Amino acid sequence: MAKLKTLYFCQNCGAQYSQWHGQCKTCGEWNTLVEEIVEKSARSSVAVKSKSSIINIIEVETNEEPRISTPSEELNRVLGGGIVLGSVTLIGGEPGIGKSTLLLQLALKMKKKILYVSGEESASQIKMRADRLAEVKNPNCFLFTETSVEKILHEAKKLQPDFVIIDSIQTLQSQLIESSPGTVSQIRECSNEIIKFAKENNIPVFLVGHITKDGQIAGPKVLEHMVDVVLNFDGDRNHLFRLLRANKNRFGSTSEIGIYEMISQGLKEIKNPSEVLITKKSEELSGNSVAVTLEGNRPMLLEIQALVSTAVYGTPQRSSTGFDSKRLNMLLAVLEKRAGFQLGAKDVFLNITGGIKTDDPALDLAVVASILSSNEDIAISEQYCFAGEIGLSGEIRPVAQIEQRITEAEKLGYEKIFVSNLNKIPKRKFGIKIEEISKIEDFVELLF
């Protein structure tokens, strides 16, 4: 006979306890344990049978995974060439960042049979958004507004779509679990059923995931381990640009990013982000410089702005947008110690335009150039760009894939690029002057 048993699950990390505690011993969070009814079946002796057998790795035959190409080149790049059949992809991001918009655009523009399942919106709401977004109508896009995972999978098996979109995994519930949607046990059970359906029927599935206030995907961490691909859609809601990154990808690289612009008709792909992110100014202004950064294998140019002024309120302020504030403090200390600039009594404000956030160390040289330009009130030529990391002793360190960075700057018409003299630059003729420097003291002399 089956009997019901009550267990307590942490809603933050998914840890399981036999009795209630005020604090979860696994993650340390308070008041996150929720009581849930778990059905336990009586133990029975089962003969162990296995259809698979042990095989030597040399004898294993490999086949290229077939992929479905999407109309979005940026999404194809991030996924590694397209959607793999039978794969399960989880996409997370801030509310209103564009997760549902991206997937609805995909459903409306692809010439495939698509099942769009929504547990958050009605069919009329989705249709209103689709009328605003799509230029191309897909006659094989089917809507289903349901939260029961059993009903969803039943209808999906009858329809046999080319792929399924579920928005969102936190709204689904299984009849096997007696708890409310969004709890750890419900998310785990629903995800398990969906993954089983995708693998058995060779149908790819996209799942939309909510995130917590800490930026993590809501639910148990095991959810991210279970799926094949985890995508993160981020960006500043006050700016137009959105970045799509792969945090996990079993079928490709996690170093690629996709860049989109949010417009009234939905998300528009940015083919050449450098031209969009660099502002064309009528006159040269102090405090501005251009950095050649690398997002994955994709080079692009960013505009760095700095403002250095005398501290009015006694304690100097250090503020940065899109750049690590601790690294900014380190660069200011290097400038003061190695180059002799007295910045300890001055406010320093730093900004990367366009709402872009990056942690590429190659931005160091451009950041220092902007700070020095603002401090001395001398404008840097618009034809100069920078790519170099600065060490604690003031040395200019080499950065990865320097040839790609130089080629990108050359393509956009820049006349000079400042790099480390330790970089292994190919011995071929570039259409841009390469200024190789070794120390920050030499850099200051060359810049002004």
Side-chain angles (χ1 to χ4, degrees), residues 309-319 343-349:
S309 61
T310 305
V312 180
Y313 302 106
T315 304
Q317 297 183 64
R318 302 284 188 261
S319 175
L343 300 171
K346 295 187 177 182
D347 293 335
V348 179
F349 303 95

Side-chain angles (χ1 to χ4, degrees), residues 149-446:
V149 71
E150 287 82 9
K151 292 180 182 178
I152 291 168
L153 297 182
H154 176 71
E155 293 298 324
K157 287 176 183 176
K158 286 200 303 183
L159 184 64
Q160 284 297 307
D162 291 312
F163 74 89
V164 179
I165 296 170
I166 297 178
D167 184 11
S168 65
I169 185 63
Q170 278 79 15
T171 61
L172 301 189
Q173 60 180 338
S174 171
Q175 297 174 0
L176 301 175
I177 305 292
E178 295 186 16
S179 60
S180 58
T183 57
V184 169
S185 55
Q186 281 286 7
I187 293 175
R188 186 169 52 232
E189 180 64 29
C190 293
S191 302
N192 192 40
E193 290 298 317
I194 291 167
I195 292 169
K196 185 179 177 183
F197 162 80
K199 303 302 180 186
E200 288 179 353
N201 297 275
N202 212 26
I203 296 174
V205 178
F206 270 87
L207 303 175
V208 174
H210 296 168
I211 66 167
T212 63
K213 61 183 179 181
D214 299 325
Q216 302 295 318
I217 294 177
K221 195 69 177 176
V222 72
L223 173 61
E224 296 177 51
H225 290 287
M226 291 165 67
V227 299
D228 300 308
V229 183
V230 179
L231 303 180
N232 186 38
F233 207 39
D234 60 19
D236 191 339
R237 291 186 63 181
N238 297 320
H239 292 83
L240 300 175
F241 302 108
R242 306 285 188 266
L243 299 182
L244 184 66
R245 307 173 189 267
N247 293 339
K248 171 189 175 181
N249 191 353
R250 287 176 178 159
F251 311 111
S253 171
T254 57
S255 61
E256 296 290 352
I257 69 161
I259 304 177
Y260 295 86
E261 181 182 6
M262 181 64 82
I263 57 176
S264 58
Q265 290 80 29
L267 290 163
K268 175 187 173 186
E269 295 181 53
I270 302 296
K271 301 292 176 63
N272 192 349
S274 302
E275 292 182 348
V276 179
L277 295 170
I278 302 298
T279 308
K280 301 296 181 183
K281 297 177 287 292
S282 57
E283 59 178 333
E284 293 182 349
L285 302 171
S286 64
N288 291 352
S289 68
V290 175
V292 188
T293 185
L294 209 66
E295 285 287 350
N297 296 320
R298 187 177 193 179
M300 62 181 185
L301 276 68
L302 298 176
E303 186 175 353
I304 310 293
Q305 294 180 326
L307 177 64
V308 180
S309 61
T310 305
V312 180
Y313 302 106
T315 304
Q317 297 183 64
R318 302 284 188 261
S319 175
S320 64
T321 305
F323 189 78
D324 186 8
S325 57
K326 292 182 179 178
R327 192 162 189 86
L328 173 62
N329 291 333
M330 183 270 285
L331 293 174
L332 293 173
V334 171
L335 275 175
E336 190 153 344
K337 179 75 174 178
R338 304 296 177 186
F341 287 90
Q342 302 300 317
L343 300 171
K346 295 187 177 182
D347 293 335
V348 179
F349 303 95
L350 190 74
N351 176 46
I352 299 178
T353 60
I356 301 294
K357 297 178 182 178
T358 180
D359 54 1
D360 185 2
L363 265 68
D364 289 356
L365 213 53
V367 168
V368 165
S370 292
I371 292 170
L372 295 179
S373 171
S374 179
N375 185 57
E376 301 295 321
D377 201 19
I378 301 174
I380 298 171
S381 171
E382 289 185 352
Q383 301 303 316
Y384 291 178
C385 57
F386 308 88
E389 180 185 355
I390 296 177
L392 290 177
S393 57
E395 80 279 12
I396 310 300
R397 300 176 62 83
V399 293
Q401 296 173 301
I402 190 64
E403 184 179 2
Q404 287 180 261
R405 299 175 195 260
I406 294 171
T407 305
E408 180 72 9
E410 179 186 3
K411 186 173 71 175
L412 293 173
Y414 286 85
E415 295 176 359
K416 185 185 287 188
I417 182 170
F418 292 81
V419 299
S420 170
N421 66 338
L422 300 176
N423 272 117
K424 295 180 180 178
I425 301 171
K427 294 182 179 179
R428 69 177 181 86
K429 190 175 181 180
F430 290 96
I432 182 173
K433 185 178 179 182
I434 302 171
E435 197 75 60
E436 299 183 44
I437 45 180
S438 59
K439 294 183 178 179
I440 197 166
E441 302 94 296
D442 304 333
F443 174 59
V444 173
E445 292 178 8
L446 287 170

Side-chain angles (χ1 to χ4, degrees), residues 12-237:
N12 184 57
C13 66
Q16 176 181 313
Y17 298 91
S18 58
Q19 59 184 8
W20 188 85
H21 298 278
Q23 183 185 30
C24 175
K25 297 178 182 178
T26 305
C27 64
E29 292 292 324
W30 289 89
N31 299 321
T32 56
L33 267 63
V34 174
E35 183 181 15
E36 295 178 10
I37 298 174
V38 181
E39 187 174 341
K40 296 287 184 180
S41 58
R43 293 185 178 181
S44 60
S45 57
V46 179
V48 178
K49 294 182 180 179
S50 177
K51 295 181 180 179
S52 59
S53 59
I54 297 174
I55 187 171
N56 192 301
I57 191 170
I58 300 171
E59 300 173 7
V60 177
E61 295 181 3
T62 56
N63 298 314
E64 187 68 27
E65 294 287 346
R67 295 177 183 263
I68 301 173
S69 181
T70 73
S72 173
E73 293 181 11
E74 298 295 302
L75 182 59
N76 286 340
R77 177 188 286 111
V78 175
L79 292 175
I83 305 169
V84 176
L85 294 177
S87 65
V88 180
T89 302
L90 176 66
I91 177 170
E94 291 280 350
I97 204 72
K99 305 182 296 294
S100 301
T101 301
L102 176 67
L103 294 178
L104 185 57
Q105 280 185 234
L106 187 68
L108 293 170
K109 291 184 178 181
M110 284 190 72
K111 296 178 180 178
K112 300 282 185 182
K113 187 191 286 186
I114 295 166
L115 176 60
Y116 189 101
V117 180
S118 177
E120 300 175 348
E121 298 174 286
S122 66
S124 59
Q125 288 176 318
I126 299 170
K127 181 63 167 62
M128 287 171 59
R129 190 151 50 92
D131 291 338
R132 177 174 57 87
L133 294 177
E135 300 173 0
V136 181
K137 304 292 190 226
N138 181 6
N140 288 320
C141 180
F142 299 92
L143 301 180
F144 189 39
T145 54
E146 182 56 63
T147 57
S148 170
V149 71
E150 287 82 9
K151 292 180 182 178
I152 291 168
L153 297 182
H154 176 71
E155 293 298 324
K157 287 176 183 176
K158 286 200 303 183
L159 184 64
Q160 284 297 307
D162 291 312
F163 74 89
V164 179
I165 296 170
I166 297 178
D167 184 11
S168 65
I169 185 63
Q170 278 79 15
T171 61
L172 301 189
Q173 60 180 338
S174 171
Q175 297 174 0
L176 301 175
I177 305 292
E178 295 186 16
S179 60
S180 58
T183 57
V184 169
S185 55
Q186 281 286 7
I187 293 175
R188 186 169 52 232
E189 180 64 29
C190 293
S191 302
N192 192 40
E193 290 298 317
I194 291 167
I195 292 169
K196 185 179 177 183
F197 162 80
K199 303 302 180 186
E200 288 179 353
N201 297 275
N202 212 26
I203 296 174
V205 178
F206 270 87
L207 303 175
V208 174
H210 296 168
I211 66 167
T212 63
K213 61 183 179 181
D214 299 325
Q216 302 295 318
I217 294 177
K221 195 69 177 176
V222 72
L223 173 61
E224 296 177 51
H225 290 287
M226 291 165 67
V227 299
D228 300 308
V229 183
V230 179
L231 303 180
N232 186 38
F233 207 39
D234 60 19
D236 191 339
R237 291 186 63 181

